[in-house]
Amino acid sequence: MSEMVDRDDSQQLVERVEQAREPGGRLTIIGQGSKHFMGCEPQGESLDTTDHCGVIEYEPGDLVLTARSGTPLVQIEQLLAQQGQCLGFEPPRFALNGSAAGTLGGAIASGLSGPRRPWAGAARDFVLGMTMVNGEAQRLHFGGQLIKNVAGFDLPRLIAGSMGTFGLILDISIRVLPVRPAAVTLQHVLPASEALAKMIEWQRQPLPLSGLVYGQGVLSVRLSGTAEGVLSAREIIGGDELNDAASWWDGLRDQTGAWFAEPGAVRRISCAAAAELPEIGGEWVLDWGGAQRWYRGDAPLAMLEAYARKIDGQLSCFRGADRKKPIPLADPRLVEIHGQLKSAFDPHGVFDSGRLLVQPPLAAGLQSSFLSDPAAK
Amino acid sequence: MTIITGATVDRADPQQRQKLAAELRELLPSHCVLDQLEQLKPFECDALTAIREIPLLVVLPENRDQVQAVMRYAYQNSVSLIPRGAGTGLSGGASPSTDAVLLVLTKLNDILEIDADNRIAIVEPGVRNLAISEAVAGHGLFYAPDPSSQVASSIGGNVAENSGGVHCVKYGLTTHNIRRLRYFDHTGELVTLGASGLDAPGYDLMALMTGSEGMLGVVVEVTVNLLPLPESVVLLQAAFPDMEQAGLGVMNIIAAGIIPAGLEMMDQTAIEVVENYIHMDLPLDAEAILLIELDGTEAEVESQLGSVKAEIGKFGAYDLRLARSAEDRIKLWSGRKSAFPAMGQVTTDFYIMDATVPRRHLPYALRHIVELSDQYSLRVANVFHAGDGNLHPLVLYDASDPGQVERTEKLADDILTLCLSLGGTISGEHGIGQEKLDKSCDQFSTVELEQFERVKRVFDPLGRLNPGKAIPTPHRCAELGGLHVHQGKVPFPELERF
């Protein structure tokens, strides 16, 4: 295990924010840079969090860990593993130079969650409290170390997923979970329609599910629980056991698996799990039991947009396509609220807003303007 | 908080009330507008009966269009609104005001859609919490958050308060179990948050709206997540000779990797009062009783039950009672669940508190509460959610004795201060409402309160939605006098002190 560094760099970081309040100052927050590809090209001077690192407090019996934002995820996970615990939402650790990377601050600021999300909850669900620095260089603490806390507005969960546009996260208290004693992954070779039907059926049953994904003609089911619980559930699921399952799920979680390694832009649709299947050529992966759908292929963007609209889903460009366009929101009022909330935290525009830009809804039937299609270029 | 004793006086301006009632009757059916004292009196408080005021007016719209009409009218005529669901809130989040119209949403009580394949239900705000689980049980599903008020409390109120319940140690709070909200903003326009899937683009405004106590908008539709009903549920009750040991038992169940569906505790005072009330042969020599509910597949539950018994056995657990059938579980739960009515047998008044401490500090907190109880000569019983460190001390007092009322307020304040000093919070699930406004000054610094204010102004720039609740102004905190030293600094150094 790499040695964990314990260093409080908060004073320097707050001073940097203070200085950036001068006209023309702008900061873009960066940890290890593993999510550099998300949002618009970063604008402004880099505010590097990696020197602000270390676990401040870890109480296994209270299921809570508090760490500085620059702490590497892999170090936190190693520490938790020593106590038989884990980060329940399986944050992706996108690789840099071939190794799993990412910081705790980056995981929460991006709000991304891995394959266990539908059963364990999302990144924001695990956030219990945080200390942040807003655009006025004020140090603020919200939330606490307990799952139940209804004092004040729930700002920690609002800040989760805000891509650093509200301010800099200094430290985070996060709920951790016990690792279940047993797990098995079972696979079935099935056509997509039958696979989706199975996913719907199993999610309606009280099974110890922790992963449910269909791609390249194979439905993979992960069960996690007590040894007895897993054994009895596998009778219901059937199929062939996958060897070396842990690294296979890591490949999905960290997007290092074979499917993600292929060239081409990756698009994402978030939708209701049972939403009808697309009739769009290209390659699809249905993760989260059907609620997160990855696409790579040549279909015109308008076709994908029409499909997303039809199933009441949300299309976004995840990797590799034109990143410079804002994300359309369903309601112009939401765009207003986004702008005003950003100002409520960061009135001088210190923090790079390009990492999460929004725009009013696209008129139905209009050719897309927000995601140009690299395949069409 | 200041407990109000004696009858409530109607302080509203009769002319203003008459004019408003007449104008609102142009927008709503006449019977939906209440303006007579005998009609208004039942709405003088929510479940925090210690704070009462006769509302200016009560409106009970019957559909979404009528809610919108009221809200547009209020916006155009500079009228403040206090949204209210079933009125079961325990922090005065819906306590009325002489200066505001009480907007009661209980008549919007339709379940609009149940989608079993996607495990969601779309409901109106007035639908009762338990009614959702009842409506979807036929599909083998349930709605997990179960505040103790679930028979009566409405989902709109649950969203406003981010309600928890007995089972949130495993299943989370309201915020973890909803995916879409529609609300009217302060001008009366409809806004949709969230999505049909598990996330939505942009900021997580669902998280902000949930638990905002009606200060940011009026929710008129909620899409809730449903879960498959567990195949097997068991309830284990265990007594402990010593509070310390019971606390360690709780820690060790969790540390052993088991997240029970529910993990509740009663202290000795509660055991005694409950036993005298329902006679279920509870061990009166026990300092604590734990109730541990496990759910999941049958195989999962049986193996966890074995581990739990082994863990608590290490800490002197005795008088173990196990309930498997639904009928037996209800019987075994009845001790815990009758705690509040039981208190009514031994005291004229009791004050239900809500605070949290990290689980590891539970035994210390409970011992200290016993000392405070002696110091103020007031009995305190504890029945609470041990699994998530959520204490509910019940202070027993007599409201006809002004000395006791005053001591109750001070004792309650001391208990909250104790919880804060242990790294807890002043409210786990009941909210701040009106009750804990002043105590919020102890938990938040000036700059934090100012940040809350700026967020509030984005949604309600004129301050007309549930004014004076949930978030104290820095000014109010400064005027309190009793200064709290936060992180070594005197709060509000910029303000003068007299």
Side-chain angles (χ1 to χ4, degrees), chain B residues 221-284:
Chain B
E221 187 187 295
V222 187
T223 302
V224 301
N225 296 338
L226 305 172
L227 293 175
L229 281 165
E231 180 184 273
S232 166
V233 184
V234 300
L235 179 63
L236 179 68
Q237 179 180 296
F240 291 82
D242 173 85
M243 181 57 81
E244 213 81 34
Q245 299 283 89
L248 288 170
V250 169
M251 289 292 279
N252 272 271
I253 291 170
I254 306 276
I258 296 161
I259 310 273
L263 187 49
E264 298 285 299
M265 202 192 277
M266 290 198 276
D267 74 356
Q268 196 159 23
T269 305
I271 296 167
E272 194 188 308
V273 172
V274 165
E275 178 56 26
N276 284 333
Y277 184 63
I278 58 168
H279 310 294
M280 57 190 288
D281 202 18
L282 295 174
L284 292 170

Coordinates of all heavy atoms in Angstrom, one line a residue, chain B residues 221-284:
Chain B
E221 N -46.1 17.5 -6.8 CA -46.1 16.2 -7.3 C -44.7 15.5 -6.9 O -43.7 16.2 -7.1 CB -46.2 16.2 -8.8 CG -46.4 14.8 -9.4 CD -46.4 14.9 -10.9 OE1 -47.3 15.4 -11.5 OE2 -45.4 14.4 -11.6
V222 N -44.7 14.3 -6.5 CA -43.5 13.6 -6.1 C -43.5 12.2 -6.8 O -44.4 11.5 -6.8 CB -43.5 13.4 -4.6 CG1 -42.1 12.8 -4.1 CG2 -43.8 14.7 -3.8
T223 N -42.3 11.9 -7.4 CA -42.1 10.6 -7.9 C -41.2 9.8 -6.9 O -40.1 10.2 -6.7 CB -41.5 10.6 -9.3 OG1 -42.3 11.3 -10.2 CG2 -41.3 9.2 -9.8
V224 N -41.8 8.8 -6.3 CA -41.0 8.1 -5.3 C -40.5 6.8 -5.8 O -41.1 6.2 -6.7 CB -41.9 7.8 -4.0 CG1 -42.4 9.1 -3.4 CG2 -43.0 6.8 -4.3
N225 N -39.3 6.4 -5.3 CA -38.8 5.1 -5.7 C -39.4 4.0 -4.8 O -39.6 4.2 -3.6 CB -37.3 5.1 -5.4 CG -36.5 6.0 -6.3 OD1 -37.0 6.4 -7.4 ND2 -35.3 6.4 -5.9
L226 N -39.7 2.8 -5.4 CA -40.2 1.7 -4.6 C -39.2 0.6 -4.6 O -38.4 0.5 -5.5 CB -41.5 1.3 -5.3 CG -42.6 2.3 -5.5 CD1 -43.7 1.8 -6.3 CD2 -43.1 2.9 -4.2
L227 N -39.3 -0.2 -3.5 CA -38.4 -1.3 -3.4 C -39.2 -2.6 -3.3 O -40.3 -2.6 -2.8 CB -37.5 -1.2 -2.1 CG -36.6 0.0 -2.1 CD1 -35.9 0.1 -0.7 CD2 -35.5 -0.2 -3.1
P228 N -38.6 -3.7 -3.7 CA -39.3 -5.0 -3.5 C -39.4 -5.3 -2.1 O -38.5 -5.1 -1.3 CB -38.3 -6.0 -4.2 CG -37.3 -5.3 -4.9 CD -37.2 -3.9 -4.3
L229 N -40.6 -5.8 -1.7 CA -40.9 -6.2 -0.3 C -39.9 -7.3 0.0 O -39.8 -8.3 -0.7 CB -42.3 -6.7 -0.1 CG -43.4 -5.6 0.0 CD1 -44.8 -6.2 -0.2 CD2 -43.3 -4.9 1.4
P230 N -39.2 -7.3 1.2 CA -38.3 -8.3 1.5 C -39.0 -9.7 1.7 O -40.2 -9.7 2.2 CB -37.7 -7.9 2.8 CG -38.5 -6.8 3.3 CD -39.3 -6.2 2.2
E231 N -38.3 -10.7 1.4 CA -39.0 -12.1 1.5 C -39.2 -12.4 2.9 O -40.1 -13.1 3.3 CB -38.0 -13.0 0.8 CG -38.4 -14.5 0.7 CD -37.3 -15.3 0.1 OE1 -37.3 -15.4 -1.1 OE2 -36.4 -15.8 0.8
S232 N -38.2 -12.0 3.7 CA -38.2 -12.4 5.1 C -37.9 -11.2 6.0 O -37.0 -10.4 5.7 CB -37.2 -13.5 5.3 OG -37.0 -13.8 6.7
V233 N -38.6 -11.1 7.2 CA -38.3 -10.1 8.2 C -38.3 -10.7 9.5 O -39.3 -11.5 9.8 CB -39.4 -8.9 8.1 CG1 -39.0 -7.8 9.1 CG2 -39.5 -8.4 6.7
V234 N -37.3 -10.5 10.3 CA -37.4 -10.9 11.7 C -37.1 -9.8 12.6 O -36.4 -8.8 12.3 CB -36.4 -12.1 12.0 CG1 -36.7 -13.3 11.2 CG2 -35.0 -11.7 11.9
L235 N -37.6 -9.8 13.9 CA -37.4 -8.8 14.9 C -36.8 -9.5 16.1 O -37.4 -10.4 16.6 CB -38.7 -8.0 15.2 CG -38.5 -6.9 16.2 CD1 -37.6 -5.8 15.8 CD2 -39.9 -6.3 16.5
L236 N -35.7 -9.0 16.6 CA -35.0 -9.6 17.8 C -35.0 -8.5 18.8 O -34.6 -7.4 18.6 CB -33.6 -10.0 17.4 CG -32.8 -10.6 18.6 CD1 -33.3 -12.0 19.0 CD2 -31.3 -10.8 18.1
Q237 N -35.5 -8.9 20.0 CA -35.4 -7.9 21.2 C -34.4 -8.5 22.2 O -34.4 -9.7 22.5 CB -36.8 -7.8 21.8 CG -36.7 -6.8 23.0 CD -38.1 -6.6 23.7 OE1 -39.0 -6.1 23.0 NE2 -38.2 -7.1 24.9
A238 N -33.5 -7.6 22.6 CA -32.5 -8.0 23.6 C -32.4 -7.0 24.7 O -32.4 -5.8 24.4 CB -31.2 -8.3 22.9
A239 N -32.3 -7.5 26.0 CA -32.1 -6.6 27.1 C -30.6 -6.6 27.5 O -29.9 -7.5 27.2 CB -32.9 -7.1 28.3
F240 N -30.2 -5.4 28.0 CA -28.8 -5.3 28.4 C -28.8 -4.8 29.9 O -29.5 -3.8 30.2 CB -28.0 -4.3 27.5 CG -27.8 -4.9 26.1 CD1 -28.8 -4.8 25.2 CD2 -26.6 -5.5 25.8 CE1 -28.6 -5.3 23.9 CE2 -26.4 -6.0 24.5 CZ -27.4 -5.9 23.6
P241 N -27.9 -5.3 30.7 CA -27.8 -4.9 32.1 C -27.3 -3.5 32.2 O -27.5 -2.8 33.2 CB -26.9 -5.9 32.8 CG -26.0 -6.4 31.7 CD -26.9 -6.4 30.4
D242 N -26.6 -3.0 31.2 CA -25.8 -1.8 31.3 C -25.9 -1.0 30.0 O -25.8 -1.6 28.9 CB -24.4 -2.3 31.6 CG -23.4 -1.2 31.6 OD1 -23.2 -0.6 32.6 OD2 -22.8 -1.0 30.5
M243 N -26.1 0.3 30.0 CA -26.2 1.1 28.8 C -24.9 1.1 28.0 O -25.0 1.0 26.8 CB -26.5 2.5 29.3 CG -26.7 3.5 28.2 SD -28.0 3.0 27.0 CE -29.5 3.5 27.9
E244 N -23.8 1.1 28.7 CA -22.5 1.0 28.0 C -22.4 -0.2 27.1 O -22.0 -0.1 25.9 CB -21.4 0.9 29.0 CG -20.1 1.6 28.7 CD -20.2 3.1 28.9 OE1 -20.8 3.5 29.9 OE2 -19.6 3.8 28.1
Q245 N -22.8 -1.4 27.6 CA -22.8 -2.6 26.9 C -23.7 -2.6 25.7 O -23.4 -3.1 24.6 CB -23.2 -3.8 27.8 CG -22.3 -3.9 29.0 CD -20.9 -4.6 28.6 OE1 -20.0 -3.9 28.3 NE2 -20.9 -5.9 28.7
A246 N -24.9 -2.0 25.9 CA -25.9 -1.9 24.8 C -25.3 -1.1 23.7 O -25.4 -1.4 22.5 CB -27.2 -1.3 25.3
G247 N -24.6 0.0 24.0 CA -24.0 0.9 23.0 C -22.9 0.1 22.2 O -22.8 0.2 21.0
L248 N -22.1 -0.7 23.0 CA -21.1 -1.5 22.3 C -21.7 -2.5 21.4 O -21.2 -2.8 20.3 CB -20.2 -2.1 23.4 CG -19.2 -1.2 24.1 CD1 -18.6 -1.8 25.3 CD2 -18.2 -0.6 23.1
G249 N -22.9 -3.1 21.9 CA -23.6 -4.0 21.1 C -24.0 -3.4 19.7 O -23.8 -4.0 18.6
V250 N -24.5 -2.2 19.7 CA -24.9 -1.5 18.5 C -23.7 -1.3 17.6 O -23.7 -1.7 16.4 CB -25.5 -0.1 18.9 CG1 -25.7 0.7 17.6 CG2 -26.8 -0.3 19.6
M251 N -22.6 -0.8 18.2 CA -21.4 -0.6 17.4 C -20.9 -1.9 16.7 O -20.4 -1.9 15.6 CB -20.3 -0.1 18.3 CG -20.5 1.4 18.7 SD -20.4 2.5 17.4 CE -18.6 2.8 17.2
N252 N -21.0 -3.0 17.5 CA -20.4 -4.3 17.0 C -21.3 -4.9 15.9 O -20.8 -5.6 15.1 CB -20.1 -5.2 18.1 CG -18.7 -4.9 18.7 OD1 -17.8 -5.5 18.2 ND2 -18.6 -4.0 19.6
I253 N -22.6 -4.7 16.0 CA -23.4 -5.2 14.9 C -23.0 -4.6 13.6 O -22.8 -5.2 12.6 CB -24.9 -5.0 15.3 CG1 -25.4 -5.8 16.4 CG2 -25.8 -5.2 14.0 CD1 -26.8 -5.4 17.0
I254 N -22.9 -3.3 13.7 CA -22.5 -2.5 12.5 C -21.1 -2.9 12.0 O -20.8 -3.1 10.8 CB -22.6 -1.0 12.7 CG1 -23.9 -0.6 13.3 CG2 -22.2 -0.2 11.5 CD1 -25.0 -0.3 12.3
A255 N -20.2 -3.0 13.0 CA -18.8 -3.3 12.6 C -18.7 -4.7 12.1 O -17.7 -5.0 11.3 CB -17.9 -3.1 13.8
A256 N -19.6 -5.6 12.4 CA -19.6 -6.9 11.9 C -20.1 -7.0 10.4 O -20.2 -8.0 9.8 CB -20.4 -7.9 12.8
G257 N -20.4 -5.8 9.9 CA -20.8 -5.8 8.5 C -22.3 -6.0 8.3 O -22.8 -6.2 7.2
I258 N -23.1 -5.8 9.4 CA -24.5 -6.0 9.2 C -25.2 -4.7 9.3 O -24.9 -3.9 10.3 CB -25.1 -6.9 10.3 CG1 -24.4 -8.3 10.1 CG2 -26.6 -7.0 10.3 CD1 -24.5 -9.2 11.4
I259 N -26.0 -4.3 8.3 CA -26.8 -3.1 8.4 C -28.3 -3.6 8.6 O -28.9 -4.0 7.7 CB -26.7 -2.3 7.1 CG1 -25.3 -2.1 6.7 CG2 -27.5 -1.0 7.3 CD1 -24.6 -0.9 7.2
P260 N -28.7 -3.5 9.9 CA -30.1 -4.0 10.1 C -31.1 -3.0 9.5 O -30.8 -1.9 9.2 CB -30.2 -3.9 11.7 CG -28.8 -3.7 12.2 CD -28.1 -3.0 11.1
A261 N -32.3 -3.5 9.2 CA -33.4 -2.7 8.7 C -33.8 -1.6 9.7 O -34.1 -0.5 9.4 CB -34.5 -3.5 8.3
G262 N -33.7 -2.0 11.0 CA -34.0 -1.1 12.0 C -33.2 -1.5 13.3 O -32.9 -2.6 13.5
L263 N -32.8 -0.5 14.1 CA -32.0 -0.7 15.3 C -32.4 0.3 16.3 O -31.9 1.5 16.3 CB -30.5 -0.6 14.9 CG -29.5 -1.0 15.9 CD1 -29.8 -2.4 16.6 CD2 -28.1 -1.1 15.3
E264 N -33.3 -0.1 17.2 CA -34.0 0.9 18.1 C -33.6 0.6 19.5 O -33.3 -0.5 19.9 CB -35.5 0.8 18.0 CG -36.0 1.1 16.6 CD -36.0 2.6 16.3 OE1 -36.7 3.3 17.0 OE2 -35.3 3.0 15.4
M265 N -33.6 1.6 20.4 CA -33.2 1.4 21.8 C -34.2 2.1 22.7 O -34.8 3.2 22.3 CB -31.8 2.0 22.0 CG -31.2 1.4 23.3 SD -29.7 2.2 23.8 CE -28.5 1.5 22.7
M266 N -34.5 1.5 23.8 CA -35.2 2.2 24.9 C -34.4 2.2 26.2 O -33.7 1.1 26.5 CB -36.5 1.3 25.2 CG -37.6 1.4 24.2 SD -39.2 0.8 24.8 CE -39.0 -0.9 24.7
D267 N -34.4 3.2 26.9 CA -33.6 3.3 28.2 C -34.5 2.8 29.3 O -35.7 2.5 29.1 CB -33.0 4.6 28.4 CG -33.9 5.7 28.8 OD1 -35.2 5.4 28.8 OD2 -33.5 6.8 29.1
Q268 N -33.9 2.8 30.5 CA -34.6 2.2 31.7 C -35.9 3.0 32.0 O -36.9 2.3 32.3 CB -33.7 2.2 32.9 CG -34.2 1.3 34.0 CD -33.1 0.9 34.9 OE1 -32.1 1.5 35.1 NE2 -33.3 -0.3 35.6
T269 N -35.9 4.3 31.9 CA -37.1 5.0 32.2 C -38.2 4.7 31.2 O -39.4 4.4 31.6 CB -36.8 6.6 32.2 OG1 -35.8 6.9 33.0 CG2 -38.1 7.4 32.5
A270 N -37.8 4.6 30.0 CA -38.8 4.2 28.9 C -39.3 2.8 29.2 O -40.6 2.6 29.1 CB -38.2 4.3 27.6
I271 N -38.5 1.9 29.5 CA -38.9 0.5 29.8 C -39.9 0.5 30.9 O -41.0 -0.2 30.7 CB -37.7 -0.4 30.1 CG1 -36.7 -0.5 29.0 CG2 -38.1 -1.8 30.5 CD1 -35.3 -1.0 29.4
E272 N -39.6 1.2 31.9 CA -40.5 1.2 33.1 C -41.9 1.8 32.7 O -42.9 1.2 33.1 CB -39.8 2.0 34.2 CG -40.4 1.9 35.6 CD -39.8 3.0 36.5 OE1 -38.5 3.0 36.5 OE2 -40.5 3.7 37.1
V273 N -41.9 2.9 32.1 CA -43.2 3.5 31.7 C -44.0 2.7 30.8 O -45.2 2.5 30.9 CB -42.9 4.9 31.1 CG1 -44.2 5.5 30.6 CG2 -42.2 5.9 32.1
V274 N -43.3 2.1 29.8 CA -44.0 1.2 28.8 C -44.5 0.0 29.5 O -45.7 -0.4 29.2 CB -43.0 0.9 27.6 CG1 -43.6 -0.3 26.8 CG2 -42.7 2.1 26.8
E275 N -43.7 -0.6 30.3 CA -44.2 -1.9 31.0 C -45.4 -1.6 31.9 O -46.4 -2.4 31.8 CB -43.0 -2.4 31.9 CG -43.4 -3.7 32.7 CD -43.9 -4.8 31.8 OE1 -43.6 -4.9 30.6 OE2 -44.7 -5.7 32.3
N276 N -45.4 -0.5 32.5 CA -46.6 -0.1 33.3 C -47.8 0.1 32.5 O -49.0 0.0 32.9 CB -46.4 1.1 34.2 CG -45.5 0.8 35.4 OD1 -45.5 -0.4 35.8 ND2 -44.7 1.8 35.8
Y277 N -47.6 0.4 31.2 CA -48.7 0.8 30.3 C -49.3 -0.5 29.6 O -50.5 -0.7 29.5 CB -48.2 1.8 29.3 CG -49.2 2.3 28.3 CD1 -50.3 3.0 28.8 CD2 -49.1 2.1 27.0 CE1 -51.2 3.6 27.9 CE2 -50.0 2.6 26.1 CZ -51.1 3.3 26.5 OH -52.0 3.9 25.6
I278 N -48.4 -1.3 29.0 CA -48.9 -2.4 28.2 C -48.6 -3.8 28.8 O -49.0 -4.8 28.2 CB -48.5 -2.4 26.7 CG1 -47.0 -2.4 26.6 CG2 -49.1 -1.2 26.0 CD1 -46.6 -2.6 25.2
H279 N -47.8 -3.9 29.9 CA -47.6 -5.2 30.5 C -47.2 -6.3 29.6 O -47.9 -7.2 29.3 CB -48.8 -5.6 31.3 CG -49.4 -4.6 32.2 ND1 -48.6 -4.0 33.3 CD2 -50.5 -3.8 32.1 CE1 -49.4 -3.1 33.9 NE2 -50.5 -2.9 33.2
M280 N -46.0 -6.1 29.0 CA -45.5 -7.2 28.1 C -44.3 -7.9 28.8 O -43.5 -8.6 28.1 CB -45.2 -6.7 26.7 CG -44.2 -5.6 26.6 SD -44.2 -4.9 24.9 CE -43.3 -6.2 24.0
D281 N -44.2 -7.8 30.1 CA -43.2 -8.5 30.9 C -41.8 -8.1 30.5 O -40.9 -9.0 30.3 CB -43.4 -10.1 30.7 CG -42.8 -10.8 31.8 OD1 -42.5 -10.2 32.9 OD2 -42.6 -12.0 31.7
L282 N -41.6 -6.8 30.3 CA -40.3 -6.4 30.0 C -39.4 -6.5 31.2 O -39.8 -6.3 32.3 CB -40.3 -4.9 29.5 CG -41.1 -4.6 28.2 CD1 -41.2 -3.1 27.9 CD2 -40.4 -5.3 27.0
P283 N -38.1 -6.8 31.0 CA -37.2 -6.9 32.2 C -36.9 -5.5 32.8 O -36.2 -4.7 32.2 CB -35.9 -7.5 31.6 CG -36.0 -7.2 30.1 CD -37.4 -7.0 29.7
L284 N -37.4 -5.3 34.0 CA -37.3 -3.9 34.6 C -35.9 -3.6 35.1 O -35.6 -2.5 35.4 CB -38.4 -3.8 35.7 CG -39.8 -3.7 35.1 CD1 -40.8 -3.8 36.3 CD2 -40.1 -2.5 34.3

